[in-house]
């Protein structure tokens, strides 16, 4: 089934992905393309949205695409830079603003009876983030809304289905932003809102069946949300022809390998658990440089996975849990589009499994959509709500070199911390949590004995994507109990500290 699609032209705004997500929350499929790479099949898109930008329309470097195949031909919405662009190059005037226009503002005027503003009234909060302002509307422009400081906060161009807003409807602080997008897309552009997790599952399964036929597919499971959802989708499409490999690198959380493997088997997946702990520990022996540790783990994984792939006779495809943010082409600060990701397959010198054809069933989804699709597939909520966990696992949480004993200590500490978060109802309030084993011994006293043992740091952060993060204000009582439990129960640890650094300038992991 073909769904109506919305095209979002990216001018480099930090909020472009948010526009796409808000549109998709309306059950409308949207795609982001760089401003200077307008798809040639423009007729396949029912409406177009122009994003904001760090650039000024007044500058020499102004991003200036040719919209002649779009303007006046299909519904068009300009947001921030998009609104200024539509004004400045069409008979209007954009100039630097005299007052700061960042943050909250309230609509002080709203034209009555306007379909674009249906359900939005004076006083509605909108979010501004711009330094230029639209002084004069373009030819045939008609004012639709103002704020106290911004006269031309919204306008339309008569004779076209073109609308423009200076504020950002995509950020949550714009209270009626979603309503506004709904007005534009559903009421005005008549886009059919039929793109739902259920329809995605149904259509993707059919497409996978058609694409893969009776071929065999190999997929590396990590225990994370993306690879799990990809596996369940493929399993629905091709059943036992999907060969899942779940590798124990010996750096997973306590009992994780056994527990997750059981869960996968319970879900009916054709999965093989491969315990390669010793191989990874060998590869890491004596290594304490963080990047070299990562590389050693990466190499070991490729070897193990390649060995496993060779055991599957006549396998044709490699499945990956790639998601949409990994493949969106971003607009760089210099205005030129830059690819964010390169494919690594079908290149000489690579392990054999990497020469397989690649299938990426989640390539069109944002992370929150992967979770919704997972729920629609009936995957356990607990599995879908798991904190992110780095591929190199505890190796980058053990500062310095890795030994089996250090891994054991950290697994115990981590288990007390994570189980405690669950018991106290805090786990879902935290985006990611874990413990770090520090390369310092300090003096303590237990009973009458002097100790000289390891120190661990606990880290719990809130974040949306891991790019920025802040430490979580966990209750003192919880920290007190956790620290007590760790020191009393984990032999070799006599001190616990809590990391109160934000990212930036710190990072989430310590290595
Ligand atoms: P940082 O430490 O860079 O972490 O603030 C941001 C997010 O990325 C995860 N992370 C990794 N994930 N391989 C991974 O698969 C890695 O080498 C790696 N390093 C960091 C980290 O857990 C956090 O979610």
């Amino acid at each position: 089934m073909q769904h109506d699609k919305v095209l979002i032209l990216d001018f480099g705004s930090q909020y472009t992905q948010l526009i796409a997500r808000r549109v998709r929350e309306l059950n409308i499929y949207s795609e982001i393309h760089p401003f200077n790479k307008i798809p040639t099949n423009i007729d396949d898109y029912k409406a177009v949205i122009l994003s904001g930008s760090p650039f000024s329309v007044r500058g020499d470097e102004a991003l200036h695409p040719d919209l002649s195949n779009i303007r006046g031909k299909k519904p068009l919405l300009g947001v921030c830079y998009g609104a200024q662009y539509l004004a400045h190059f069409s008979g209007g005037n954009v100039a630097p603003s005299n007052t700061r226009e960042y943050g909250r503002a309230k609509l002080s005027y709203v034209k009555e009876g306007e379909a674009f503003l249906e359900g939005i009234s004076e006083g509605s909060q909108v979010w501004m983030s711009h330094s230029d302002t639209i002084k004069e509307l373009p030819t045939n422009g008609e004012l639709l809304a103002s704020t106290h400081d911004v006269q031309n906060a919204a306008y339309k161009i008569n004779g076209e289905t073109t609308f423009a807003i200076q504020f950002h409807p995509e950020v949550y602080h714009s209270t009626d932003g979603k309503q506004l997008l709904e007005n534009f897309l559903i009421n005005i552009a008549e886009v059919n809102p039929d793109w739902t997790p259920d329809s995605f599952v149904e259509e993707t399964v059919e497409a996978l069946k058609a694409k893969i036929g009776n071929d065999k597919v190999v997929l590396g499971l990590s225990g994370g949300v993306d690879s799990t959802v990809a596996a369940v989708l493929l399993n629905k499409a091709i059943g036992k022809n999907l060969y899942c490999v779940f590798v124990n690198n010996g750096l997973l959380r306590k009992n994780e390998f056994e527990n997750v493997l059981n869960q996968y088997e319970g879900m009916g997946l054709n999965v093989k658990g491969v315990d390669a702990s010793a191989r990874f520990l060998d590869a890491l022996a004596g290594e304490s440089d963080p990047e070299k540790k990562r590389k050693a783990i990466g190499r070991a994984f490729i070897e193990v996975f390649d060995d496993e792939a060779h055991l599957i006779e006549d396998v044709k495809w490699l499945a990956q849990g790639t998601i949409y943010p990994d493949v969106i082409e971003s607009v760089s600060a210099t205005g030129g589009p830059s690819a964010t990701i390169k494919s690594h397959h079908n290149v000489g010198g690579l392990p054999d499994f990497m020469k397989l054809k690649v299938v990426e069933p989640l390539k069109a989804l944002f992370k929150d959509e992967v979770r919704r699709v997972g729920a629609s597939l009936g995957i356990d909520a607990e599995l879908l709500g798991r904190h992110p966990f780095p591929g190199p696992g505890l190796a980058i949480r053990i500062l310095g070199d890795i030994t089996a004993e250090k891994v054991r200590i950290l697994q115990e500490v981590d288990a007390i911390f994570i189980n405690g978060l669950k018991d106290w109802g805090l786990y879902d309030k935290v985006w990611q949590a874990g413990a770090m084993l520090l390369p310092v011994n300090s003096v303590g006293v237990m009973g009458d004995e002097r100790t000289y043992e390891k120190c661990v740091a606990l880290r719990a952060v809130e974040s949306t994507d891991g790019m920025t993060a802040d430490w979580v204000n966990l209750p003192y009582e919880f920290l007190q109990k956790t620290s007590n439990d760790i020191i009393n129960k984990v032999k070799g640890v006599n001190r616990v500290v809590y990391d109160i650094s934000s990212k930036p300038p710190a990072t989430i992991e310590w290595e």
Side-chain angles (χ1 to χ4, degrees):
M1 184 182 161
Q2 278 290 338
H3 295 276
D4 287 347
K5 292 199 286 191
V6 171
L7 170 65
I8 296 160
L9 281 186
D10 179 30
F11 290 85
S13 163
Q14 57 175 326
Y15 298 133
T16 303
Q17 291 197 20
L18 266 187
I19 302 180
R21 285 167 59 184
R22 290 295 159 270
V23 171
R24 287 164 174 226
E25 281 170 15
L26 296 169
N27 293 334
I28 294 171
Y29 182 67
S30 63
E31 277 176 8
I32 299 173
H33 290 259
F35 72 95
N36 53 356
K37 286 197 178 170
I38 299 176
T40 45
N41 56 339
I42 191 71
D43 286 344
D44 290 355
Y45 298 87
K46 198 91 193 264
V48 179
I49 299 177
L50 310 179
S51 83
S53 176
F55 293 91
S56 164
V57 289
R58 296 176 298 105
D60 293 339
E61 78 290 12
L63 314 179
H64 193 162
D66 174 10
L67 299 181
S68 54
N69 284 333
I70 297 172
R71 255 194 84 173
K73 298 188 173 139
K74 51 183 71 216
L76 175 64
L77 172 65
V79 173
C80 196
Y81 181 95
Q84 297 179 358
Y85 178 80
L86 291 171
H88 193 67
F89 294 108
S90 304
N93 181 24
V94 174
S97 52
N98 303 326
T99 49
R100 278 172 61 82
E101 289 172 354
Y102 292 97
R104 285 180 182 77
K106 291 204 181 300
L107 293 181
S108 57
Y109 161 76
V110 171
K111 182 173 179 259
E112 281 188 24
E114 178 60 50
F116 182 64
L117 297 170
E118 176 101 33
I120 297 165
S121 41
E122 272 181 41
S124 176
Q125 178 176 290
V126 295
W127 192 257
M128 293 284 186
S129 179
H130 59 112
S131 50
D132 282 353
T133 201
I134 300 166
K135 295 278 187 206
E136 280 170 43
L137 295 179
T139 314
N140 297 329
E142 181 181 345
L143 180 68
L144 296 184
S146 308
T147 66
H148 181 267
D149 290 326
V150 180
Q151 158 82 7
N152 296 315
Y155 66 88
K156 68 175 175 183
I157 299 182
N158 287 319
E160 303 174 12
T161 9
T162 298
F163 297 82
I165 39 181
Q166 181 58 74
F167 54 89
H168 288 271
E170 66 275 22
V171 305
Y172 280 112
H173 303 283
S174 286
T175 323
D176 295 317
K178 201 166 159 189
Q179 177 69 52
L180 198 120
L181 289 172
E182 184 175 332
N183 291 345
F184 171 67
L185 292 171
I186 300 178
N187 302 348
I188 294 172
E190 297 181 343
V191 181
N192 192 6
D194 61 356
W195 192 72
T196 61
D198 286 351
S199 71
F200 176 86
V201 169
E202 204 177 303
E203 290 154 26
T204 305
V205 166
E206 287 314 308
L208 288 170
K209 277 183 186 164
K211 182 173 190 168
I212 297 168
N214 290 322
D215 291 349
K216 291 180 186 168
V217 179
V218 61
L219 175 143
L221 280 168
S222 69
V225 176
D226 301 341
S227 65
T228 306
V229 174
V232 174
L233 263 176
L234 279 155
N235 181 52
K236 225 172 142 68
I238 61 167
K240 298 295 176 221
N241 272 346
L242 173 68
Y243 290 74
C244 301
V245 178
F246 180 35
V247 177
N248 184 5
N249 57 13
L251 302 159
L252 303 174
R253 300 197 132 114
K254 187 181 175 187
N255 298 332
E256 174 103 338
F257 182 61
E258 298 75 15
N259 291 345
V260 175
L261 192 57
N262 277 339
Q263 263 181 309
Y264 282 147
E265 283 164 354
M267 288 154 75
L269 296 178
N270 175 16
V271 56
K272 178 172 177 188
V274 181
D275 188 355
S277 310
R279 198 158 165 177
F280 281 84
L281 268 184
D282 276 354
L284 283 166
E287 190 53 76
S288 44
D289 178 86
E291 286 315 305
K292 287 187 181 150
K293 286 201 264 183
R294 277 190 171 81
K295 289 214 170 80
I297 293 168
R299 273 194 306 270
F301 181 81
I302 285 176
E303 283 167 23
V304 173
F305 196 77
D306 205 35
D307 288 353
E308 289 304 317
H310 273 113
L311 299 177
I312 309 164
E313 206 179 314
D314 209 21
V315 61
K316 292 265 183 340
W317 298 83
L318 171 70
Q320 293 184 320
T322 316
I323 62 174
Y324 194 41
D326 301 330
V327 297
I328 296 174
E329 266 193 76
S330 61
V331 172
S332 76
T334 52
S338 63
T340 49
I341 207 162
K342 297 269 174 276
S343 297
H344 295 287
H345 47 274
N346 296 335
V347 182
L350 288 173
D352 283 349
F353 79 86
M354 280 194 171
K355 296 176 192 157
L356 299 173
K357 291 187 276 183
V358 174
V359 55
E360 298 169 310
L362 308 178
K363 208 166 62 169
L365 302 184
F366 287 107
K367 189 89 181 178
D368 45 338
E369 292 168 336
V370 175
R371 291 210 173 84
R372 286 209 293 276
V373 164
S376 156
L377 285 162
I379 299 175
D380 197 51
E382 197 199 318
L383 213 161
L384 293 176
R386 286 158 65 99
H387 290 173
F389 188 70
L394 299 182
I396 56 169
R397 294 182 180 173
I398 295 172
L399 280 76
D401 68 325
I402 316 283
T403 62
E405 176 61 3
K406 287 183 188 173
V407 173
R408 186 201 62 78
I409 291 177
L410 191 56
Q411 281 179 333
E412 297 297 333
V413 170
D414 178 78
I416 292 172
F417 183 35
I418 299 296
N419 291 336
L421 286 171
K422 288 181 180 163
D423 291 346
W424 285 58
L426 296 165
Y427 185 84
D428 291 333
K429 300 193 172 89
V430 169
W431 189 78
Q432 186 174 20
M436 320 291 155
L437 186 65
L438 307 189
V440 280
N441 279 33
S442 72
V443 174
V445 55
M446 285 189 187
D448 291 333
E449 299 248 331
R450 176 187 181 279
T451 58
Y452 188 58
E453 293 179 338
K454 291 259 172 291
C455 174
V456 291
L458 306 182
R459 183 111 167 101
V461 295
E462 48 194 21
S463 176
T464 47
D465 51 14
M467 302 294 286
T468 59
D470 207 355
W471 58 280
V472 179
N473 201 341
L474 292 175
Y476 279 170
E477 297 72 20
F478 169 77
L479 290 171
Q480 187 179 39
K481 165 101 174 56
T482 307
S483 156
N484 251 329
D485 282 353
I486 290 171
I487 294 174
N488 285 331
K489 292 180 185 161
V490 186
K491 202 163 166 290
V493 175
N494 68 354
R495 197 174 291 270
V496 176
V497 297
Y498 186 53
D499 183 348
I500 52 166
S501 330
S502 62
K503 173 184 180 175
T507 49
I508 296 176
E509 306 295 346
W510 279 41
E511 282 199 338

